[in-house]
Amino acid sequence: MIEPMIAPSILSADFARLADAADSVERADWLHVDVMDYHFVPNLTIGLPVVRSLHAATDLPLDCHLMIEDPDRWAPAYAEAGAANVTFHIEAAKDPVATARAIRAAGALAGLSIKPATELDPYLDVLREFDTLLVMTVEPGFGGQEFMAEVLPKVRRAREEVRSGHLRLFIEVDGGIDADTIEAAAAAGADVFVAGSAVFSADDPGAAVEALRARARRAMPG
């Protein structure tokens, strides 16, 4: 059985205390870092300097989600800065295969993200070059949005491709993941779960991570 992975999103943490936030979720699997440029999405967050500082401050693997224009140019630098997984959007990329290969050459896993309205099937062949598929379960740009269950067929489709041996990758979901929604995402076939406010708004973020992992584990197909 696949073991679920929890990736708390620091978008919901106190930006003045990111190292402390990372320490509070030391039992997580990845630390999710949302990079937004105010162009691809209407929000501005953090960039390379913060990723470098986080890499020095925590042993958690950094899961960088680039919601930016021109990821072909910028994505490899996040791998060089210490990210363990660098994900960019197919909607913004000009040459996703070359960018994935550059990320891998720089020492990180390569991830491809799709927005809720983007179909999966046209990119199944491209995904052979990737280690992670990130299915957005909200519109990218802001935390705290409501989970969109209507995108779960894409998760199921990706899991079918993995089970058949056509793909080998993590299937990650991001957006609105909490105790009420994680089981549906897990049952559909996701194995990496990004959770922001469900973790960092809890009295004990570490315990929240464990509780989410337990819920996902119960719901995952045998």
Side-chain angles (χ1 to χ4, degrees), residues 67-164:
M67 288 169 270
I68 64 174
E69 291 184 350
D70 201 8
D72 309 81
R73 175 183 178 186
W74 297 109
Y78 284 85
E80 294 164 2
N85 186 62
V86 179
T87 296
F88 60 92
H89 274 263
I90 189 62
E91 301 89 356
K94 297 180 180 66
D95 193 339
V97 170
T99 302
R101 290 175 179 175
I103 291 168
R104 284 174 152 180
L109 302 179
L112 190 69
S113 184
I114 56 174
K115 296 166 73 172
T118 300
E119 296 295 329
L120 174 64
D121 280 8
Y123 305 108
L124 290 176
D125 287 340
V126 171
L127 279 169
R128 296 175 188 271
E129 298 281 345
F130 287 84
D131 305 288
T132 305
L133 167 66
L134 174 55
V135 177
M136 292 300 300
T137 45
V138 298
E139 288 295 334
F142 293 91
Q145 298 183 63
E146 187 174 344
F147 178 79
M148 299 171 67
E150 59 267 29
V151 307
L152 291 181
K154 289 188 282 190
V155 175
R156 295 188 189 97
R157 179 79 173 96
R159 179 54 59 193
E160 289 171 2
E161 291 295 307
V162 172
R163 287 198 184 108
S164 70

Side-chain angles (χ1 to χ4, degrees), residues 20 41 45 53 64 95 98 109 121 129 171-174 176 189 220:
D20 292 338
V41 292
T45 54
S53 296
C64 288
D95 193 339
L109 302 179
D121 280 8
E129 298 281 345
I171 302 173
E172 186 172 8
V173 285
D174 179 5
M220 288 177 114

